[in-house]
Amino acid sequence: MKNGLPLKVLPPYLFFLALLSLISCQEAGPKADLILTNANIWTGSESQPSAQAIAVLADTILAIGSNSELEKYKGHTTEIINVGNRFITPGFIDSHVHLLMGGNSLLNVELRDAQTPEEFTRRIADFAETIDPGTWIMEGNWDHTLWGGELPKKEWIDPYTQNNPVAVYRLDGHMVFANSAALDFAGIDKDTPDVPNGEIVRDDKGIPTGILKSNAMGLLLDKIPPLTKTQKKKALKEASHYFLSHGVTSVHDVDSLGTAEVAQELLDSGELSLRIYSAKPLNRWKEAQRKISSDELWLKTGIVKGFIDGSLGSHTASFMEPYTDKPADNGLFINSEANLYQWISEADKAGLHIQVHAIGDNAIHTLLEIYERIVKENGKKERRLRIEHAQHISKQDLHRFGELDIIASVQPYHAIDDGRWAETLIGPERVKTTYAFQSLLDAKTILAFGSDWPVAPGNPLTGIYAAVTRNTLDGKNPNGWVPEQKISTEEALRAYTKNGAYASFDETVKGTLEPGKLADFVILSEDIQKIDPKKIREVKVMATYLGGKLVYENDQKEN
């Protein structure tokens, strides 16, 4: 055992078989390792929605109920913690993260909240002074809408980065900005031809400005030296600590940087501190058939993730009608419909779990058509097909999510971010079914919430705040942007816990607080179901427990 985390744990059903045997041998019954009392527990379970105390034995919930009901589980060595009526929820499950990318971003330059071109430039220049010559400056996650919409140009940063190639992402991940050193390294110049489904942004002389969109990003990214194993381990550890500090105990990782292999090494050495469901790229679905982990409570594979289009902010999301601000532009498909159908059908036949990124209404409609086709052709089974993002759905397609049992894996923070400018791009009618959480629930759709970190903050409380208030980041929609799409706090909690477990076929072991399930839970400073929803994002994570072990504790004093 290292870092307080077990190397191997019994699956809950085996644990309870052992427990029954113990009870038969010991008349007094089992005693808990840990009991939390005087709590305000939201269990997520319909059979017992709330409780006052929770008892843990090893990594599993032994019992849950009132203080008096759990008295019988106290033993001489039981640790008793009075949580003072704190609010406890199941550990949050983030259903869409880029784990190594995000971990690497914590070790790199931060550009997300740069408000001006000057600040953007200064941050890169300052960071360049802290690293060795030849080291790449990566990630960044900048947002040009914060300074009026002008895209960065390599001339802004070239004087400060002559010795360091730069390749920093726009926050949606569908544009990358490069300096001259990086463009020269990749051989991208005036004579480089454009690529299908991508764009090399050029000045009036045809010279690349440093911005590469969608598939054109591959001209650079495919040539950047990959992270070393040591760098990946460091990034994964940073990412894990980040999530635990926000109450996240499980993630669905859609990175394609080799997370599973590195996570397995950390698991073997007792250093893995986050439960991971790791995806392989859809077009490499055969690789996903190889089982990575012998301990699926910590590391699970078998899911593949694909793309059909890009993003709204980069005008690469695919729409049926043109963009309002660019009447000749409908966006684009990153992969052809024929290829997507072939990959999805083959992966489905192989028994793999499938999730595909689709943002524009045309992309979503096309993906629904493909999903419906493979269900008919490959026969009925428990698939739990997912559409990642599902941001801009046509009214005619809303009902199909429930009818086809499609999980909408959505990221509510994007609604309060994009809501500042989305109507300019797609007009007042299409925004009515943008981030249409309530309409999806009305259509009997299962919502699984995530963050898209590092594209957006990985804090579930911020995501819940966004889903419940829809108050945009600029403060211009205090009653909610498209307010009819707001949902309740409990619905948002369920989407960040129970539904996340369901989306990974893990509902029997986590997602709710019930006897026999993993003791993954979070202690919050306030009951987010009772406070003013606008204050939810101010609530603090006081402690995070993973398998009954304290893995994060807030050491800041409260006011």
Side-chain angles (χ1 to χ4, degrees), residues 47 52 103 221 290 332 412 496:
S47 61
Q52 189 179 29
L221 300 180
R290 182 167 57 89
L332 54 85
Y496 254 123

Side-chain angles (χ1 to χ4, degrees), residues 18 65 79 104 145 191 232 235 243 288 301 307 327 342 368 391 402 418 445 457 488 512 541:
E79 180 182 8
N104 195 37
T145 67
D191 299 320
K232 288 181 179 181
F243 276 115
T301 57
F307 288 85
Q342 180 183 355
L368 287 168
Q391 288 180 4
D418 293 8
T445 306
S488 72
T512 57
V541 171

